[in-house]
Amino acid sequence: MKVISVVGARPQFVKVALVVKELAERGIEAPIVHTGQHYDYEMSALFFKELEIPEPVVNLNVGSGTHAEQTSKMLLGLEKILLRERPHAIIVYGDTNSTLAGALSAAKLNITICHVEAGLRSYNRKMPEEINRIVSDHLSDVLFAPTRHALEILKREGLGDKAHMVGDVMYDVLLRYMDMSMSSTVVEKMGLEPKKYYLATVHRAENTDDPKRLSDIISALSALDLPVIFPAHPRTKKRMEEYGIKMDGSIRLVSPMSYLEFITLLRYAAKVLTDSGGVQKEAYVLGVPCITLRDETEWVETVEDGWNILVGASRDRIITAVAKFSPKGERKKHYGDGYAHKRIADVVEGL
Ligand code: UD1
């Protein structure tokens, strides 16, 4: 049995890591096809190395471009590979253009599609990820929901019959690497003291491609009372230069980090400010107050339990949240038991 995983962007490397290892242990051929959406060393190869992910059998090297350019190059490349390899099924992950291209190319060739992290919705169609999720979920034959909330959404959209509530594969990875992160000395190496710095990430198009939102966010980060470690996504760095946005005060701009370095810095941060989906969940699991630089979230349970607050890109709301937001409530096991990857493999084995 051969099951191809299609990945391309940084969070997908985390999601694929344990799934392909589990499939291989069960004797299933589980090659990875990399679309090349992310190509910088720190955005791609570093993750394969650190998470010991098998090398991709093919890299389509599509690189950057408009949505149509990027997705169409992926479709052309993937169709050739799927025709040649004739897998039993393909697995797509999350909500990037690589997810959409994987699902669409397999659907046209009548290849079974499994979607890991199905059922997420922000109900904001201006986000490219929302379009990618809706299309991928509705094209898929097997849907792996990470939470009860995601499962309910799939049922509401008439997709309940195809859905399996398996838990969250990013949580599985976090549990396994959390202890290793304890020994990582990144906090000391950066001259920081635990709980005496903030961590910030910004990469969503709605924030980076709007000069007002981006400059308000950077201005808020610059005004905070503790150092702000800011591992900048290449898109964010590029836009800051284009818009002439200067940073000063508390911000320390650093290169994108490895997974272990990042989760260690997150674990010891006083608070995190982010527009990433994965980081909101990781902060919840690690008990770090999260200030989300968006107007909505897919990971609603983190907000409902009081550990995450949505502040958009308003300078004042960001600064006030950093000063006042202080969660105390209980954190629950929304993301499963650390074995989502095994449940996924159980279902895939039976296809
Ligand atoms: C993509 C996903 C997003 C995901 C994110 C994780 C889509 C629509 N978006 O956004 O859902 O959360 O990945 O990071 O698929 N660039 C580099 N080097 C790289 C990669 C990107 O310099 O290795 C720069 C390029 O200038 C590129 C820009 O970043 O134009 C944006 O990259 P792209 O892959 O289009 O989207 P992301 O913003 O990374």
Side-chain angles (χ1 to χ4, degrees):
M1 184 181 200
K2 190 195 290 177
V3 179
I4 291 182
S5 282
V6 176
V7 294
R10 186 169 57 179
Q12 292 169 323
F13 310 141
V14 181
K15 291 170 199 173
V16 81
L18 292 176
V19 175
V20 286
K21 277 181 221 162
E22 184 65 29
L23 292 175
E25 272 170 28
R26 297 180 188 209
I28 298 171
E29 213 187 319
I32 293 177
V33 172
H34 192 320
T35 62
Q37 176 169 354
H38 286 176
Y39 43 86
D40 287 351
Y41 175 77
E42 299 105 335
M43 299 291 288
S44 175
L46 179 56
F47 278 68
F48 278 81
K49 196 167 136 205
E50 194 170 74
L51 300 175
E52 298 174 302
I53 306 167
E55 280 297 306
V57 290
V58 183
N59 190 323
L60 299 174
N61 291 314
V62 301
S64 306
T66 66
H67 287 279
E69 279 165 359
Q70 199 175 50
T71 313
S72 58
K73 282 187 199 159
M74 290 178 194
L75 286 172
L76 288 172
L78 287 169
E79 186 180 61
K80 281 201 191 84
I81 292 161
L82 294 179
L83 282 171
R84 190 181 70 210
E85 298 291 322
R86 285 274 159 210
H88 280 76
I90 82 156
I91 310 181
V92 295
Y93 300 80
D95 55 18
T96 73
N97 289 344
S98 302
T99 317
L100 172 71
L104 193 51
S105 53
K108 295 292 180 89
L109 296 171
N110 289 321
I111 295 169
T112 302
I113 308 161
C114 309
H115 184 201
V116 171
E117 208 179 81
L120 294 202
R121 297 291 181 267
S122 65
Y123 300 105
N124 172 3
R125 290 217 181 180
K126 285 193 186 136
M127 288 174 72
E129 293 84 358
E130 183 76 352
I131 310 294
N132 295 342
R133 289 179 196 127
I134 295 169
V135 177
S136 302
D137 278 346
H138 284 262
L139 289 179
S140 291
D141 304 285
V142 184
L143 296 162
F144 294 120
T147 60
R148 298 233 149 264
H149 183 76
L151 181 68
E152 287 311 313
I153 289 177
L154 293 171
K155 285 184 185 164
R156 281 210 296 273
E157 293 185 18
L159 298 171
D161 291 354
K162 300 174 179 177
H164 302 260
M165 214 314 260
V166 290
D168 181 39
V169 285
M170 286 186 99
Y171 177 60
D172 296 4
V173 176
L174 184 58
L175 282 187
R176 272 154 196 79
Y177 283 84
M178 219 153 70
D179 293 337
M180 266 195 234
S181 85
M182 298 262 279
S183 59
S184 166
T185 52
V186 60
V187 178
E188 280 163 48
K189 258 194 335 220
M190 293 184 72
L192 298 166
E193 279 181 63
K195 301 295 167 190
K196 298 232 167 95
Y197 64 90
Y198 304 120
L199 182 62
T201 78
V202 180
H203 78 275
R204 294 241 163 247
E206 72 207 54
N207 286 331
T208 60
D209 296 1
D210 179 334
K212 166 98 172 77
R213 284 181 76 102
L214 189 58
S215 70
D216 284 356
I217 290 172
I218 301 297
S219 159
L221 297 182
S222 306
L224 299 182
D225 59 323
L226 292 175
V228 181
I229 307 305
F230 185 36
H233 186 288
R235 172 213 278 283
T236 315
K237 225 167 140 186
K238 208 163 90 182
R239 293 286 187 264
M240 283 171 64
E241 283 158 18
E242 258 172 56
Y243 304 151
I245 298 174
K246 300 264 174 295
M247 302 170 308
D248 45 25
S250 38
I251 303 188
R252 264 173 69 181
L253 184 78
V254 295
S255 300
M257 295 188 153
S258 83
Y259 180 74
L260 276 184
E261 282 178 336
F262 186 81
I263 58 171
T264 305
L265 269 194
L266 177 57
R267 182 186 194 131
Y268 294 111
K271 282 174 187 160
V272 64
L273 299 99
T274 190
D275 61 6
S276 149
V279 176
Q280 294 172 55
K281 276 183 293 181
E282 287 160 351
Y284 179 90
V285 173
L286 295 170
V288 178
C290 183
I291 295 156
T292 294
L293 309 169
R294 288 181 53 196
D295 302 311
E296 70 283 308
T297 181
E298 301 78 23
W299 303 102
V300 289
E301 55 289 329
T302 59
V303 175
E304 283 163 8
D305 291 353
W307 281 85
N308 187 6
I309 182 168
L310 304 176
V311 296
S314 144
R315 185 180 185 276
D316 289 349
R317 287 179 68 199
I318 297 170
I319 294 173
T320 308
V322 171
K324 302 223 167 113
F325 182 55
S326 173
K328 289 188 186 64
E330 192 200 337
R331 286 174 290 122
K332 304 184 190 122
K333 294 253 175 244
H334 295 293
Y335 303 114
D337 57 2
Y339 294 103
H341 60 290
K342 288 198 188 282
R343 283 190 205 95
I344 289 171
D346 288 344
V347 175
V348 170
E349 221 173 8
L351 287 176

